Amino acid sequence: MSLQWYVVHTFSGHENKAKLALEDAIRRYGVEDRFGEVLVPTEKVVEVKDGQKKTTTRKVYPGYMFVQMMVDNETWHVVTTTPKVTGFIGGSRNPPPIPEIEVKRITRQMTEDEDKPKPVVHFERGEEIGIIDGPFATMKGKVEEVNQTRAKLRVMVSIFGRPTSVELDYTQVERLS
């Protein structure tokens, strides 16, 4: 029987502690051969606070971790008795595995987020914004178009008294309060 991926429910906010505790329990019980990776999916996000860009890491699935393992009575016991773990998703002694392709998608997304963090803010058409970065820094403008997938805005600014449309990244602007 090969290793499969399972979703394990943890105390929210304690995912990393649960991961460390599970890895320690796996070593203590000597069942390393029946476990693979333990994964707490995270993503990098960019927040703009007080005009400063700050990159932080947040959990993609708060309260959950993914465990690659072979389920039998002993390994099930190791996972369910680990501190900060409440049990498997599916709640039974025979939890359903999740497809390998889904875990690959999650890990690929994590790798992409390392290279280009996601902005956290959401803008609306007609909203007044201040530009904090780039050639238009210190100018104010009005959002004309929002492209969530590319994290870009089309903003109308006044250059030499004439309205001009410019495209900006979310990280180049901030909300005006």
Side-chain angles (χ1 to χ4, degrees):
M1 195 172 171
S2 64
L3 300 178
Q4 292 185 302
W5 285 96
Y6 296 89
V7 182
V8 175
H9 190 262
T10 67
F11 292 168
S12 192
H14 295 272
E15 300 85 358
N16 290 329
K17 289 179 185 176
K19 176 184 177 191
L20 293 173
L22 178 58
E23 290 170 340
D24 183 51
I26 291 167
R27 281 190 296 278
R28 264 194 342 269
Y29 282 94
V31 291
E32 294 95 331
D33 58 324
R34 290 180 267 169
F35 282 88
E37 287 182 72
V38 178
L39 179 67
V40 176
T42 58
E43 65 183 353
K44 292 229 187 265
V45 292
V46 176
E47 295 178 284
V48 179
K49 286 186 180 173
D50 301 324
Q52 299 290 316
K53 285 191 253 182
K54 184 179 176 190
T55 303
T56 57
T57 302
R58 73 174 178 196
K59 304 208 175 34
V60 178
Y61 302 106
Y64 298 97
M65 66 181 176
F66 295 81
V67 181
Q68 188 181 32
M69 62 185 284
M70 190 182 313
V71 175
D72 59 27
N73 284 340
E74 188 176 13
T75 58
W76 183 88
H77 179 75
V78 169
V79 173
T80 57
T81 59
T82 299
K84 312 278 188 240
V85 170
T86 58
F88 286 93
I89 296 301
S92 67
R93 269 196 138 353
N94 193 13
I98 59 171
E100 178 87 24
I101 196 158
E102 188 64 22
V103 176
K104 285 186 194 248
R105 184 190 62 76
I106 291 167
T107 54
R108 185 173 52 250
Q109 186 67 43
M110 286 172 59
T111 306
E112 289 170 9
D113 287 344
E114 286 290 319
D115 301 334
K116 190 165 197 300
K118 286 184 191 171
V120 168
V121 270
H122 300 285
F123 295 96
E124 293 180 21
R125 192 164 190 247
E127 185 175 359
E128 292 279 330
I129 53 98
I131 303 171
I132 57 171
D133 189 25
F136 306 104
T138 71
M139 296 180 89
K140 294 181 182 357
K142 189 176 270 192
V143 176
E144 284 189 312
E145 186 181 319
V146 179
N147 186 331
Q148 293 274 17
T149 54
R150 290 182 48 226
K152 298 256 186 203
L153 299 172
R154 173 117 352 242
V155 178
M156 188 63 70
V157 294
S158 178
I159 301 176
F160 302 118
R162 300 178 74 167
T164 306
S165 183
V166 295
E167 186 175 82
L168 300 168
D169 285 335
Y170 279 13
T171 57
Q172 291 180 285
V173 299
E174 68 180 353
R175 281 199 165 90
L176 295 177
S177 14

